[in-house]
Every structure is written in C-alpha cells, then in structure tokens.
Amino acid sequence: MHSRMPAVTQPIQKTPGVCGGNACVRDTRIPVWTLQRLRELGRSDSQLLEDFPTITAADLSAAWEYVRHNGPEIRDAIARQGRDR
C-alpha cells in the first residue's frame, strides 16, 4: 500500500495572475516586496506578524532569505508601485 506524501507548500511562491506574478508568502496574496518595504519603513518582524496574522516567523525568515537572493527583483517591484498607479 502506497501512502501519498502531503504536498509541501513552498514558503515563497510566484503564481501567474496572482499579485502581478510577484513573489508572495505561501498561498497568500502577501507580496514579499510589501514586507520588505514595510521593513524599510521601520516595521519590526513582530509588528509585521501582528499586521499579517496569517504568516509565521518562518514565513518572514523565508521572505528575508528571498530578498537576500533576489534583491534586484524586489527593489524593482517596490519601485514599480509608484509608477503603475
């Protein structure tokens, strides 16, 4: 008898058509660029966890890791926000 392993959800995902295809936390619509921008504006991790109760400390760690490895992408997404409106 074969048991199926549950699907593992990646902590950071890009889904075409969701949030403009930007990297988001798990299966939420919380873009990594939003978290990074709020962090730049002075929000602490504990404040972000209060602001976004559907994410965890592990999600934030994954987001910060994503930012470290994909800085230009995140900076561009933040810069586009003022231009796209």
Side-chain angles (χ1 to χ4, degrees), residues 3-47:
S3 62
R4 289 188 171 247
M5 294 291 292
V8 175
T9 302
Q10 295 297 315
I12 305 300
Q13 301 175 352
K14 285 184 174 182
T15 305
V18 176
C19 294
N22 289 302
C24 292
V25 176
R26 284 184 286 105
D27 52 356
T28 71
R29 291 178 177 258
I30 302 170
V32 173
W33 70 260
T34 297
L35 297 171
Q36 176 61 22
R37 183 64 181 134
L38 289 169
R39 189 184 209 193
E40 290 171 358
L41 293 171
R43 299 299 282 174
S44 68
D45 283 8
S46 61
Q47 289 171 319

